[in-house]
């Protein structure tokens, strides 16, 4: 059916708005890339916009040859990978029984989970609990308080509910227990939703700086996200990187160092996302159809 002129106008305006929104996200990234790869004189002149001038990788060499940035990047990887695995395991462990109709208390526990989305103890009580458990300056302080996201758990639960009940009946007839049904039937069918939730958790752990700022006081345990945030706010950290013994002979501007740090931080997520994109929309849509 051929669209009417009104529909064509709507599509045109809609596409124009989406294009402007995309450009508003793309231009800052291009500017950061240009600052990171431009040389000292070009950045100091203030004429760097969307394309590098006087190509230089000194800023990245300065970051990666220093002691803090590689260690902070490794901490980011450890926090993200371990936290991602733990969160997926425990979120699945919470979602699966709540999706089984034979679980008599599933309505009560579902409402209990939803209650935590509306009310929480707050920052100070949470800090006191973490401190009382002697978790300060450990990564468990980053993993345990947010181990299960209720929103993500409800998406997985809804996906499990969308699976045909006949699958569970046939598995029971064949003698499968609940664990075997979960591992051999449910999980292989749940790749789209798990890829989506893994992306949610992964981005959350990778970009987490506030919890690290509160609970981790040892500099060698802090992640790159917090270090970049400190680089943006603190001039002394940038001067320390510039004056490090293994720094290059050519000094770098604070803008170049900040831009290089931001690129080092966001590049892993930009690399991972295209591999999960094909599952992303499918996982969210399937996990939100049935209540």
């Amino acid at each position: 059916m051929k669209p009417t002129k009104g529909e064509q106008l709507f599509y045109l305006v809609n596409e124009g708005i989406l294009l402007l929104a995309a450009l508003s996200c793309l231009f800052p990234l291009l500017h950061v890339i240009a600052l990171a790869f431009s040389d000292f004189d070009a950045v100091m002149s203030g004429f760097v916009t969307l394309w590098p001038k006087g190509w230089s990788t000194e800023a990245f060499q300065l970051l990666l040859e220093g002691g803090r940035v590689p260690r902070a990047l490794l901490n980011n990887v450890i926090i993200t990978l371990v936290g991602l695995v733990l969160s997926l395991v425990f979120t699945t462990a919470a979602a699966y029984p709540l999706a089984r109709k034979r679980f008599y208390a599933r309505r009560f526990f579902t409402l209990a989970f939803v209650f935590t989305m509306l009310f929480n103890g707050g920052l100070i009580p949470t800090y006191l609990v973490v401190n009382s458990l002697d978790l300060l300056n450990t990564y468990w302080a980053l993993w345990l308080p947010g181990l299960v996201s209720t929103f993500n758990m409800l998406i997985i639960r809804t996906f499990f509910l969308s699976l045909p009940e006949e699958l569970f009946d046939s598995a029971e007839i064949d003698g499968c227990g609940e664990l075997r049904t979960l591992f051999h039937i449910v999980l292989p069918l749940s790749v789209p939703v798990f890829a989506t939730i893994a992306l949610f958790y992964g981005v959350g752990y990778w970009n987490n700086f506030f919890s690290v700022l509160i609970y981790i006081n040892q500099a060698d345990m802090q992640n790159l996200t917090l270090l970049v945030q400190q680089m943006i706010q603190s001039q002394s950290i940038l001067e320390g990187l510039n004056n490090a013994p293994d720094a290059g002979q050519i000094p770098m501007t604070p803008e170049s160092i900040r831009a290089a740090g931001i690129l080092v931080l966001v590049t892993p997520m930009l690399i991972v996302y295209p591999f999960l994109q094909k599952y992303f929309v499918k996982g969210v849509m399937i996990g939100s159809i049935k209540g």
Side-chain angles (χ1 to χ4, degrees):
M1 183 176 179
K2 186 178 180 180
T4 64
K5 291 184 178 180
E7 291 175 339
Q8 292 178 352
L9 179 61
F10 171 78
Y11 294 147
L12 182 63
V13 173
N14 192 26
E15 291 172 358
I17 294 175
L18 292 176
L19 178 62
L20 290 176
L23 292 177
S24 67
C25 298
L26 182 61
F27 283 164
L29 179 61
L30 294 177
H31 180 62
V32 169
I33 294 174
L35 287 175
F37 287 101
S38 297
D39 61 17
F40 179 83
D41 294 332
V43 177
M44 288 297 294
S45 65
F47 292 110
V48 178
T49 53
L50 301 179
W51 189 257
K53 295 185 178 180
W55 185 271
S56 173
T57 59
E58 288 286 337
F60 293 95
Q61 295 176 9
L62 181 65
L63 286 177
L64 299 179
E65 291 175 359
R68 291 196 62 183
V69 174
R71 178 63 187 177
L73 181 59
L74 177 62
N75 293 339
N76 248 68
V77 174
I78 295 173
I79 293 171
T80 301
L81 291 182
V82 178
L84 174 61
V85 172
L86 290 174
S87 292
L88 283 179
V89 170
F90 282 90
T91 303
T92 304
Y96 180 72
L98 297 181
R100 301 292 286 122
K101 296 181 179 179
R102 67 169 62 186
F103 183 43
Y104 67 95
R106 70 185 187 122
R107 178 176 177 82
F108 169 78
F109 285 107
T110 301
L111 293 177
F113 271 102
V114 173
F115 181 83
T116 64
M117 298 179 66
L118 306 176
F119 304 96
N120 58 72
L123 179 60
I124 295 178
T126 303
Y127 180 87
L128 294 176
V129 171
V130 172
N131 186 33
S132 65
L133 296 175
D134 199 21
L135 297 179
L136 295 181
N137 289 317
T138 68
Y139 289 148
W140 290 107
L142 310 178
W143 297 326
L144 291 181
L147 190 61
V148 176
S149 167
T150 302
F151 176 78
N152 295 339
M153 187 276 295
L154 291 177
I155 291 179
I156 297 179
R157 169 187 172 271
T158 306
F159 184 90
F160 290 165
L161 285 172
S162 67
L163 297 177
E165 192 65 27
E166 290 78 8
L167 285 175
F168 300 98
D169 295 337
S170 62
E172 185 178 358
I173 293 173
D174 291 337
C176 293
E178 293 293 347
L179 286 179
R180 191 171 182 180
T181 302
L182 174 63
F183 285 106
H184 292 276
I185 296 178
V186 176
L187 295 186
L189 297 174
S190 306
V191 173
V193 72
F194 279 114
T196 303
I197 300 305
L199 183 63
F200 288 164
Y201 276 127
V203 171
Y205 281 116
W206 185 267
N207 293 332
N208 187 6
F209 84 93
F210 189 67
S211 297
V212 180
L213 178 65
I214 295 174
Y215 300 128
I216 307 297
N217 298 321
Q218 299 179 9
D220 60 341
M221 294 185 64
Q222 294 175 346
N223 61 354
L224 183 61
T225 311
L226 178 60
L227 181 59
V228 170
Q229 188 266 345
Q230 292 174 344
M231 288 166 55
I232 294 174
Q233 293 187 343
S234 176
Q235 187 73 20
S236 61
I237 294 180
L238 299 175
E239 293 175 354
L241 290 172
N242 247 331
N243 299 326
D246 50 0
Q249 298 295 325
I250 302 176
M252 298 304 301
T253 62
E255 291 81 4
S256 295
I257 300 176
R258 291 191 185 104
I262 292 173
L263 284 183
V264 171
L265 179 63
V266 303
T267 298
M269 291 293 104
L270 294 178
I271 294 175
V272 170
Y273 179 74
F275 295 98
L276 300 178
Q277 184 180 12
K278 62 180 180 179
Y279 300 110
F280 187 76
V281 175
K282 182 179 179 182
V284 172
M285 292 300 295
I286 293 179
S288 59
I289 291 175
K290 191 175 180 182

